[in-house]
């Protein structure tokens, strides 16, 4: 449940708090998938659809959408729930990339992603396009 110390001057939860919780949720999903520690490499496409109010209950769903040799893209979706009515509203979503690491910070291979539904296949294809875009940005930056 969100508390007053999470709020900004408008009485809404700070976007920075939401981004931190999104990163933590995505990291947990990456660790569960890889069976190893995972570190954040990139977070993009963070959307803020609706404000989160003090007192709302937050529900985080983190789903792997793409897996490479050592990296994973995770979709994190945030819903707020009114504790009195049970009404749920999607408030945020983000894509984050994590890399599995060993105790010395070296990368580790991760299990392949098993795609079982059309939605999972669609998300995987979209993630491949995002990955290509991210790599092109890195080339532009270094070149």
């Amino acid at each position: 449940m969100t508390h007053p110390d999470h709020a900004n001057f408008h009485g809404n939860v700070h976007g920075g708090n939401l981004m931190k919780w999104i990163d933590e949720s995505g990291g947990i999903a990456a660790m569960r998938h890889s069976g190893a520690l995972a570190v954040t490499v990139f977070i993009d496409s963070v959307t803020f659809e609706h404000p989160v109010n003090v007192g709302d209950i937050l529900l985080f769903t983190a789903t792997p959408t793409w897996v490479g040799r050592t990296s994973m893209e995770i979709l994190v979706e945030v819903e707020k729930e009114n504790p009195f009515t049970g009404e749920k509203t999607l408030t945020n979503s983000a894509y984050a990339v994590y890399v599995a690491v060993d105790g010395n910070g070296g990368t580790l291979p991760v299990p392949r992603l098993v795609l079982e539904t059309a939605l999972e296949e669609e998300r995987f294809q979209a993630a491949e396009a995002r990955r290509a875009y991210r790599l092109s940005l890195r080339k532009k930056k270094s070149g």
Side-chain angles (χ1 to χ4, degrees):
M1 180 174 283
T2 55
H3 300 278
D5 62 329
H6 299 139
N8 59 25
F9 293 116
H10 297 287
N12 300 326
V13 173
H14 284 285
N17 283 340
L18 287 165
M19 291 173 68
K20 176 185 175 204
W21 299 328
I22 286 168
D23 185 29
E24 289 173 346
S25 299
I28 290 167
M31 287 188 287
R32 284 180 171 168
H33 180 78
S34 67
L37 293 174
V39 296
T40 310
V41 174
F42 197 90
I43 297 179
D44 66 359
S45 302
V46 179
T47 61
F48 294 85
E49 301 292 333
H50 299 281
V52 175
N53 305 307
V54 170
D56 287 338
I57 297 169
L58 293 179
L59 309 164
F60 292 81
T61 304
T63 308
T65 55
W66 179 89
V67 171
R69 191 178 70 76
T70 62
S71 61
M72 303 152 276
E73 181 189 84
I74 308 292
L75 167 61
V76 182
E77 296 175 300
V78 184
E79 287 182 303
K80 68 177 180 179
E81 180 180 322
N82 181 306
F84 304 108
T85 67
E87 180 184 356
K88 294 179 184 175
T89 304
L90 181 68
T91 62
N92 302 82
S93 63
Y95 290 101
V97 177
Y98 301 86
V99 171
V101 295
D102 61 23
N104 298 318
T107 59
L108 292 171
V110 297
R112 303 303 312 159
L113 189 59
V114 178
L115 305 175
E116 297 177 341
T117 67
L119 176 60
E120 290 171 344
E121 182 65 39
E122 182 180 310
R123 286 180 170 174
F124 185 88
Q125 295 303 320
E128 293 243 303
R130 283 187 296 277
R131 179 177 183 269
Y133 177 71
R134 289 181 197 117
L135 291 174
S136 74
L137 290 178
R138 190 162 36 168
K139 283 182 185 178
K140 285 181 186 177
K141 194 174 188 179
S142 66

